[in-house]
Amino acid sequence: MKKIILPTLGLVLMSQSFAQITLTEYTSLPEGGDIPLYNHINIQAVDIQESSTGANQTWDFSNFTPATNSEVEFQFGDASSSSYASLFPTSNLYVYNPASPNYESFILADQDGYRLTGTTTYDQSTTLTITEGWHILKFPMTYNTTYTDSLNGHVSGNSTMTYTRRGNTIMTADGYGSLVLPYGTIDNVLRVKIERTYADYTISTSIPAIEYTEISHYYYSEENRHFIALTNELTVSGFTVQSVLQYQTEATLTTLGTNDFTPNQELSLYPNPAINQFTIKNIEDNSTIKIVDINGRIVKTITQNTNNAIDITNLTSGYYMVQINGNHGKTVKKLVIK
């Protein structure tokens, strides 16, 4: 028996106030020719998904840095240009990842939102057809909006048993605020939670053959057609098979656009080489600074609240490493003392 496990398409100050965010067909529909690129990180998504609901939140993913070659690209095209368009006649878009070109996913995008209509492998060994439900985003969507949806479809293929797929979706915009990524902060972000439960049934029985539970949080801006970040956890028959974080690369974010993006200001030491003192530019409040010599010994530890100069008159000339530990992680800089 061949199973199909489909990846989800991804397929601040507390006093700060945010504009009301409303996602519509004019702000949030993908278009043919779009090529969003995402950093993909395997994480324990359940640890971060349920926190920070409500207004004026800060969702901080700055410590989740991707491994090398962990980028995932999604290419969107007109459905009619796909060889498998006839399998999904209601679709107007399709999307695929060129690094894993073993399947294509099809989408219906219109004023109601956009939803998955099906997925097929290139040899059609497994094809999922969705006749109802599986919305990725409904319109209009604003804070506290909730949609419920039935899910119906079937799984088939030339080497797969045929199943009917049935279930339910609850979609809720459960918070808005700022999203902090490793390369910067995006304000005026709306978070959309999707809880999806469904099962596959053989034609001859009403007992589920495979059961699925999926919890996702999408982070959207009105100025970017694609989700900026996503956490997703997928459980199949009681076993977690996928737990991921995806967020747009900085190049994709700035290309697709959002005026609410503030890039990080990089930490720097000056003067360097230093004689009696040095300063750390763009340091966070309450950062812990450790100066380590070439033998790995910590020779000075301080807590820094401002960009004040750090006295090093008691340290000998040589090469040192400066470890700066702040709210957004650890940064290490080289320092030369004359």
Side-chain angles (χ1 to χ4, degrees):
M1 180 177 67
K2 191 169 183 179
K3 300 178 183 178
I4 181 169
I5 300 172
L6 295 171
T8 298
L9 271 176
L11 189 13
V12 188
L13 301 174
M14 292 208 49
S15 60
Q16 182 175 1
S17 88
F18 295 86
Q20 184 63 271
I21 306 155
T22 302
L23 307 179
T24 69
E25 60 183 300
Y26 303 107
T27 66
S28 306
L29 272 185
E31 297 179 355
D34 288 349
I35 309 178
L37 188 63
Y38 290 87
N39 294 305
H40 181 95
I41 304 172
N42 293 316
I43 59 169
Q44 291 301 314
V46 70
D47 294 337
I48 58 175
Q49 288 204 94
E50 297 301 329
S51 62
S52 302
T53 62
N56 299 325
Q57 296 298 321
T58 299
W59 299 288
D60 191 344
F61 297 102
S62 59
N63 288 328
F64 291 91
T65 54
T68 304
N69 299 322
S70 63
E71 295 178 342
V72 177
E73 179 180 283
F74 296 104
Q75 293 194 7
F76 287 78
D78 189 297
S80 62
S81 63
S82 168
S83 301
Y84 305 101
S86 61
L87 298 175
F88 311 100
T90 62
S91 305
N92 51 20
L93 290 175
Y94 81 107
V95 58
Y96 70 99
N97 175 8
S100 302
N102 60 330
Y103 69 90
E104 293 179 356
S105 295
F106 290 79
I107 297 170
L108 173 61
D110 57 21
Q111 69 277 3
D112 183 53
Y114 60 100
R115 68 177 184 89
L116 184 70
T117 55
T119 297
T120 188
T121 57
Y122 285 143
D123 61 0
Q124 296 185 52
S125 60
T126 305
T127 296
L128 167 68
T129 303
I130 300 294
T131 56
E132 179 185 11
W134 209 301
H135 270 89
I136 301 161
L137 185 62
K138 290 273 285 183
F139 299 140
M141 179 64 69
T142 191
Y143 178 51
N144 281 333
T145 300
T146 297
Y147 292 106
T148 59
D149 210 353
S150 298
L151 188 157
N152 286 286
H154 63 269
V155 181
S156 61
N158 55 33
S159 63
T160 305
M161 290 182 64
T162 298
Y163 298 92
T164 60
R165 178 165 289 187
R166 303 193 299 274
N168 296 284
T169 298
I170 302 174
M171 180 183 299
T172 305
D174 68 354
Y176 63 88
S178 293
L179 177 66
V180 184
L181 299 176
Y183 54 76
T185 299
I186 304 98
D187 294 323
N188 291 313
V189 169
L190 182 70
R191 187 171 83 167
V192 178
K193 179 181 180 180
I194 297 179
E195 301 172 89
R196 214 183 305 274
T197 56
Y198 51 99
D200 291 340
Y201 302 83
T202 60
I203 300 299
S204 59
T205 180
S206 60
I207 300 174
I210 310 171
E211 296 180 288
Y212 305 83
T213 301
E214 193 170 352
I215 299 177
S216 305
H217 285 89
Y218 290 83
Y219 298 80
Y220 290 97
S221 163
E222 286 181 317
E223 300 173 334
N224 193 304
R225 291 191 298 274
H226 300 270
F227 68 86
I228 296 173
L230 160 71
T231 61
N232 171 261
E233 184 173 78
L234 174 63
T235 301
V236 179
S237 297
F239 296 94
T240 299
V241 298
Q242 178 172 280
S243 187
V244 301
L245 164 68
Q246 292 180 350
Y247 58 85
Q248 287 185 21
T249 64
E250 184 173 4
T252 298
L253 181 75
T254 54
T255 299
L256 292 177
T258 174
N259 292 323
D260 293 312
F261 172 59
T262 304
N264 285 343
Q265 294 181 308
E266 185 177 359
L267 291 171
S268 60
L269 310 183
Y270 68 93
N272 192 9
I275 300 177
N276 296 317
Q277 62 183 27
F278 71 94
T279 299
I280 303 176
K281 184 179 179 181
N282 297 322
I283 193 170
E284 295 179 282
D285 285 350
N286 298 314
S287 293
T288 300
I289 301 164
K290 296 179 180 180
I291 302 176
V292 182
D293 67 15
I294 58 173
N295 296 313
R297 295 175 301 201
I298 299 173
V299 296
K300 190 179 184 71
T301 301
I302 63 173
T303 299
Q304 190 82 348
N305 292 314
T306 66
N307 289 333
N308 291 340
I310 297 171
D311 180 66
I312 51 173
T313 53
N314 63 330
L315 300 182
T316 59
S317 300
Y319 293 91
Y320 295 82
M321 302 300 291
V322 181
Q323 298 178 359
I324 305 124
N325 291 277
N327 294 328
H328 294 154
K330 181 172 75 172
T331 302
V332 179
K333 295 289 185 179
K334 294 180 181 179
L335 174 67
V336 178
I337 298 179
K338 287 186 175 181

